[in-house]
Amino acid sequence: MNWIDAPASMIKSDFTGFPKENGYYFPAEWEKHEATWLSWLHNPDTWPEKIEKIFPVYCEFIRLIAEGEKVKINVNSKKMASEAFQMLSKAGVDITQVYFYHNPTDDAWCRDHGPTFLVNKDPSKPKIIVDWEYNAWGGKYPPYNLDNNIPSRIAVKQGMAFAQPGIIMEGGSVDFNGAGAVLTTISCLLNPNRNPTLSKTEIENYLINYYGVEEIIWLGDGIVGDDTDGHIDDITRFVDESTIVTVVEENEEDDNYEPLLVNRELVNGISINQSPLTIIELPMPSPVYYEGQRLPASYANFYISNKYVIVPVFDDPNDERALSILQDCFPDRKTVGLDATDLIWGLGAFHCLSQQEPATT
């Protein structure tokens, strides 16, 4: 078992200036990964009465990722690592590709509490980490102090410099084309439960200076059932430098119809680097409910690994249609659907669980 338990004392940022002015930027998800980071799921409150049903699809998710890159997993203890190792081994995961890091967490949503890795335009310069603050989507699910410590712990253990902007920012709230553009939502980034003292212009300056972007595309509201106040990774994603997929609801009686129509209209006519943005519509699945609660089921919460595009599916007639659309978007990868019907009870899917570490060569 690959176990990493080096000391990780909390230190303040050792990075001076803004990442952008030093040549750093956040690459697109489809660019080559060194690894994918996960935080081993363990919180039964996230999947009440269902957590044991989540592990098979979670292990299959890891098995697919490990075919093309390393998988680095935060765990709370060596005992948790051993249990995870046994589970993954039984699921046929290439365990030589899996590394366990003693980085205790409160929950599994590594997209939001994990490290933001930046690369430099000068390939001879090392990666750095941006350590944003994290408050569990506006303080909804305390405690979250362990999750908030994850980026700096990883930076220390990896021997990487890290910057600390000092504001709340979640990985699922932003999506990048790797060429200077970012997608995000007003409903999340300007929500007063995140950074109530900051204006839209001030938030934009943080995006520009710490993600290394130049163009910011603002959308409106997220989908029904999304407890993150409208994360972009449930609604609209870049699939190449000038193309997005955006979810649309075809049933006019559905509660998602109007907000998704507004978002569809917001991206009309947008140009990226003076080139028109290509827009591909992605269907929504039929509403998914559990115990009377509507869940944020969306095909847009896919994860792009080195070898696969891993898509949540819901035993729905639109599953194959969504997979076909995404396969056309990624001809260099195989698109795979994994049943997320139980997973989505935790109010997130595969993109929410994962955070990529880009390769530097």
Side-chain angles (χ1 to χ4, degrees):
M1 182 173 70
N2 298 314
W3 168 253
I4 296 90
D5 193 23
S9 58
M10 295 299 100
I11 61 174
K12 290 187 176 180
S13 170
D14 53 356
F15 189 87
T16 57
F18 294 127
K20 184 178 181 181
E21 68 186 12
N22 285 276
Y24 284 95
Y25 68 97
F26 191 94
E29 193 171 308
W30 56 81
E31 296 181 42
K32 187 178 180 181
H33 301 175
E34 164 71 19
T36 291
W37 283 85
L38 304 170
S39 294
W40 188 257
L41 62 88
H42 61 84
N43 187 344
D45 293 336
T46 302
W47 292 276
E49 302 177 4
K50 267 187 181 281
I51 192 167
E52 294 303 321
K53 293 183 178 181
I54 309 304
F55 285 112
V57 71
Y58 189 57
C59 290
E60 178 63 8
F61 179 51
I62 295 171
R63 188 189 70 78
L64 291 170
I65 297 170
E67 285 191 23
E69 60 197 87
K70 296 175 184 176
V71 181
K72 299 180 179 180
I73 304 178
N74 301 311
V75 291
N76 288 20
S77 64
K78 197 163 188 178
K79 179 176 182 290
M80 182 182 286
S82 179
E83 292 170 352
F85 179 89
Q86 295 299 323
M87 203 176 296
L88 294 171
S89 297
K90 289 180 181 178
V93 176
D94 180 356
I95 210 68
T96 66
Q97 288 280 80
V98 179
Y99 297 77
F100 296 99
Y101 287 77
H102 184 207
N103 292 321
T105 63
D106 300 294
D107 215 331
W109 307 114
C110 197
R111 175 64 50 178
D112 293 340
H113 68 237
T116 295
F117 292 96
L118 304 185
V119 297
N120 201 284
K121 295 176 182 177
D122 178 352
S124 69
K125 292 186 177 181
K127 289 174 287 195
I128 66 167
I129 282 174
V130 179
D131 176 18
W132 302 99
E133 295 299 306
Y134 172 77
N135 72 348
W137 314 286
K140 293 184 180 73
Y141 303 107
Y144 45 80
N145 59 300
L146 294 177
D147 288 347
N148 191 37
N149 290 334
I150 288 297
S152 58
R153 285 184 66 96
I154 289 174
V156 171
K157 288 188 178 184
Q158 301 273 95
M160 298 173 66
F162 64 102
Q164 290 178 308
I167 72 163
I168 303 295
M169 185 72 67
E170 298 135 18
S173 70
V174 283
D175 196 72
F176 302 84
N177 73 344
V182 60
L183 288 159
T184 191
T185 65
I186 291 171
S187 61
C188 180
L189 263 60
L190 301 189
N191 194 304
N193 63 12
R194 301 318 204 268
N195 302 293
T197 65
L198 298 181
S199 67
K200 183 180 179 182
T201 297
E202 289 171 323
I203 292 287
E204 288 180 333
N205 286 334
Y206 277 99
L207 293 172
I208 290 166
N209 288 319
Y210 285 93
Y211 281 123
V213 300
E214 297 170 359
E215 299 181 75
I216 301 167
I217 303 171
W218 290 94
L219 275 65
D221 291 330
I223 59 174
V224 177
D226 176 13
D227 63 341
T228 69
D229 305 303
H231 271 188
I232 197 71
D233 64 0
D234 274 333
I235 53 178
T236 306
R237 303 282 303 281
F238 279 111
V239 294
D240 66 33
E241 289 186 5
S242 60
T243 305
I244 60 169
V245 291
T246 190
V247 292
V248 293
E249 175 54 60
E250 295 163 344
N251 178 5
E252 295 184 12
E253 302 302 316
D254 191 281
D255 288 341
N256 278 321
Y257 179 80
E258 187 64 28
L260 293 181
L261 179 62
V262 170
N263 285 331
R264 176 65 179 83
E265 292 172 347
L266 285 171
V267 294
N268 277 341
I270 288 178
S271 293
I272 299 289
N273 294 326
Q274 300 182 337
S275 297
L277 184 65
T278 300
I279 303 166
I280 299 171
E281 294 184 353
L282 193 64
M284 284 285 283
S286 300
V288 177
Y289 290 91
Y290 185 70
E291 293 187 349
Q293 179 178 344
R294 183 160 182 181
L295 307 179
S298 171
Y299 300 120
N301 205 261
F302 57 85
Y303 180 61
I304 310 165
S305 72
N306 278 349
K307 189 171 181 180
Y308 298 103
V309 178
I310 305 168
V311 185
V313 294
F314 305 96
D315 191 23
D316 186 88
N318 274 337
D319 289 353
E320 289 304 318
R321 185 173 156 208
L323 290 172
S324 178
I325 290 169
L326 291 171
Q327 183 62 75
D328 289 344
C329 293
F330 296 98
D332 61 333
R333 290 170 169 86
K334 183 178 179 181
T335 298
V336 178
L338 293 184
D339 188 350
T341 307
D342 288 323
L343 178 64
I344 202 65
W345 175 224
L347 308 182
F350 303 117
H351 196 254
C352 302
L353 291 168
S354 52
Q355 179 61 269
Q356 68 273 9
E357 178 180 349
T360 52
T361 56

